[in-house]
Amino acid sequence: MEKIFEPILDADEKVIKVFKPHKGKMFTSTILASFCCWCWLLIVAIIGMLTDPETGEFTPTEWWIVVGVCLGIAVFFTGLTILFTALSYKNTYYAYTNKRVIIRKGIFGVDYKSLDMSMIGAIDVSVSVIDKIICKNTGSISYGSMASPIAGQNGVMFKFAHISAPYETYKEIKTVIDEFKNSKKEK
């Protein structure tokens, strides 16, 4: 798997570890978020469609048609979400090297994001309720740079999402980051 990162590696850079997100956690999170979002929007739409605009009263005529159409729309868009998640999962890999952490992802193409270890100022490990209940021993690791904290600029985060054994992975990466920063101080 190291070969997939070769196009962006420096001459003296070596990949230490490559891993993929946990498939079950990635799909579960995406499907739940999509379904909840669509259901909420559809509830608002159903209430809007079944309310008489002139009187503001609830008109239950043919309510089952409106509900059926709205549920069909929710199922369709949730299906699209599953398709795009599958396409994204195929291209998503995380890696850390002796110089930086790298994310490889994309739906139709491949994009790379990297953060130099010298710029990492904060690391956050998070384990959600879904991680605890459905997909045991999964979580996410977020990185903040010196210029952009964990929250990121414009809400964009550098994150290894849905990974297995997040605390162990954090320790491994933290060790490499500390070694990198100590070697830079000695020079």
Side-chain angles (χ1 to χ4, degrees):
M1 283 196 292
E2 289 84 9
K3 291 188 184 278
I4 62 174
F5 290 96
E6 281 182 4
I8 63 162
L9 295 179
D10 295 339
D12 61 339
E13 189 172 16
K14 295 196 178 3
V15 174
I16 297 172
K17 188 172 182 180
V18 176
F19 44 99
K20 284 189 76 64
H22 187 277
K23 192 175 194 175
K25 169 60 172 42
M26 185 173 178
F27 276 85
T28 302
S29 294
T30 306
I31 292 167
L32 281 175
S34 172
F35 188 74
C36 289
C37 178
W38 286 111
C39 284
W40 175 252
L41 290 173
L42 292 173
I43 288 169
V44 171
I46 289 169
I47 291 170
M49 284 188 251
L50 294 177
T51 304
D52 185 353
E54 293 176 9
T55 63
E57 293 180 11
F58 187 69
T59 55
T61 39
E62 309 299 336
W63 64 271
W64 54 274
I65 294 173
V66 173
V67 171
V69 168
C70 288
L71 283 175
I73 291 169
V75 168
F76 173 76
F77 282 109
T78 301
L80 279 180
T81 301
I82 293 169
L83 173 66
F84 285 125
T85 301
L87 292 172
S88 174
Y89 180 79
K90 181 182 78 167
N91 290 326
T92 303
Y93 289 89
Y94 307 120
Y96 61 95
T97 71
N98 57 331
K99 291 183 167 185
R100 58 189 165 159
V101 289
I102 305 170
I103 296 174
R104 179 188 188 266
K105 65 180 183 174
I107 293 177
F108 299 112
V110 174
D111 301 320
Y112 292 92
K113 280 178 32 176
S114 67
L115 182 60
D116 291 340
M117 289 197 182
S118 61
M119 292 301 296
I120 295 175
I123 303 174
D124 180 42
V125 179
S126 59
V127 177
S128 70
V129 173
I130 295 171
D131 290 311
K132 289 286 192 185
I133 296 172
I134 297 172
C135 301
K136 306 268 191 240
N137 199 25
T138 58
S140 299
I141 301 175
S142 303
Y143 302 90
S145 72
M146 301 292 190
S148 170
I150 294 284
Q153 293 174 326
N154 303 324
V156 176
M157 294 176 62
F158 195 89
K159 183 183 212 178
F160 286 6
H162 317 298
I163 61 170
S164 297
Y167 295 112
E168 291 81 8
T169 305
Y170 163 79
K171 288 177 188 176
E172 292 172 16
I173 295 171
K174 182 77 169 107
T175 301
V176 173
I177 292 169
D178 290 343
E179 288 172 3
F180 177 84
K181 288 184 176 182
N182 288 335
S183 70
K184 288 292 180 185
K185 285 180 187 177
E186 292 171 3
K187 289 182 181 181

